[in-house]
Each structure stands twice: as structure tokens, then as C-alpha cells.
Amino acid sequence: MGRHQPGQGRTGPRRLRHRATPLGPLAPGPDHLLVAEGDDGHICGYALATPPNKGQSWIVSLAVDPAVQGMGVGRQLMRETLKSLRAAGTGTVLLWVEPANDHAIALYESLGFVRDPAGTRPDHFGPGADRLLMSLPLSG
């Protein structure tokens, strides 16, 4: 796996679309699963967020196929997700990121997210699973 190389047969996202989750009644409120599909129909990335709760939403997961990393898929997914969350009434978006994931942190910071002043939370998700909290206030 690695970055996209010409001739590999993968392309960037042809379209982004919201998909229904199979959770039914376990997932109340608007759907915040956004999927990026390539020209060949494969899923090349997704973003999953929570509906707003007391004005806050969480980015639960952002993933991009390694074959198309560096082509703007993650940025596109995040921009559309933030747009959707803003329309749903979210005032603040929060997310956890691995402190060593420099590419993700750079993406989030370029979108306006800021690091929590408390810094890295050691063992937040269990032994050795440190996380950094980042937040983005959304303006009307």
C-alpha cells in the first residue's frame, strides 16, 4: 500500500454521497455518514460523525483508501461533513486523533481545528493508545 501512482487503476472520488447506516433505531437523527466513491465505483473513503447533541458533534472516523491518499479525498470528506453538521445546528465539532498522525493533524488544523490546551491524553483508549483532542467552533 502507498500513495496513488499513475496507472494503478484508482482515481479520486467521483462523487460524495450520504449513505444510510444499517443501525436503524439505534441511530436517531440525521445521518452523518459520507462516502466517497471512485470512478470505478469503489469506496475510496468515508467520514462518520455524530448528530449534534447540546450543540456538539464528534467526528467518529475519517478513513481514506491508501491508494488515493494525498489526492484531497479526506479534505473533501471533512469539508462536506462540516457543512452538513453546520446545517444540522452543530456549534462545535470535536475529534480524537493519534498524536503521531501528523498528516491527519495537519489536515484538521488546515480546516481550523485547534489542539486542546491539555495536550495529549496518555492511554486515553487503553494502554499505549494516546489521543489528542481537537475542536472546531462552527460559526453560523
Side-chain angles (χ1 to χ4, degrees), residues 51-131:
N53 181 10
K54 298 180 183 175
Q56 293 185 337
S57 293
W58 287 85
I59 301 296
V60 177
S61 183
L62 173 67
V64 175
D65 181 339
V68 296
Q69 285 179 353
M71 297 178 65
V73 176
R75 179 174 305 283
Q76 207 174 348
L77 285 164
M78 284 297 297
R79 282 185 177 158
E80 288 300 315
T81 298
L82 294 173
K83 180 179 170 183
S84 174
L85 292 173
R86 184 177 289 115
T90 298
T92 303
V93 180
L94 302 155
L95 61 82
W96 292 108
V97 63
E98 291 182 35
N101 192 341
D102 295 331
H103 292 292
I105 292 170
L107 169 64
Y108 299 141
E109 288 179 334
S110 76
L111 293 168
F113 282 84
V114 295
R115 300 172 194 220
D116 187 78
T120 298
R121 308 302 204 295
D123 302 325
H124 183 74
F125 284 132
D130 302 346
R131 291 296 183 271

Side-chain angles (χ1 to χ4, degrees), residues 4-87:
H4 172 75
Q5 298 296 320
Q8 278 185 319
R10 295 277 193 222
T11 59
R14 174 182 52 167
R15 66 177 175 228
L16 298 177
R17 64 187 185 128
H18 291 272
R19 284 218 172 154
T21 60
L23 300 178
L26 297 177
D31 182 27
H32 294 289
L33 172 63
L34 188 62
V35 175
E37 295 179 348
D39 288 331
D40 57 4
H42 86 285
I43 293 175
C44 56
Y46 73 89
L48 177 62
T50 65
N53 181 10
K54 298 180 183 175
Q56 293 185 337
S57 293
W58 287 85
I59 301 296
V60 177
S61 183
L62 173 67
V64 175
D65 181 339
V68 296
Q69 285 179 353
M71 297 178 65
V73 176
R75 179 174 305 283
Q76 207 174 348
L77 285 164
M78 284 297 297
R79 282 185 177 158
E80 288 300 315
T81 298
L82 294 173
K83 180 179 170 183
S84 174
L85 292 173
R86 184 177 289 115

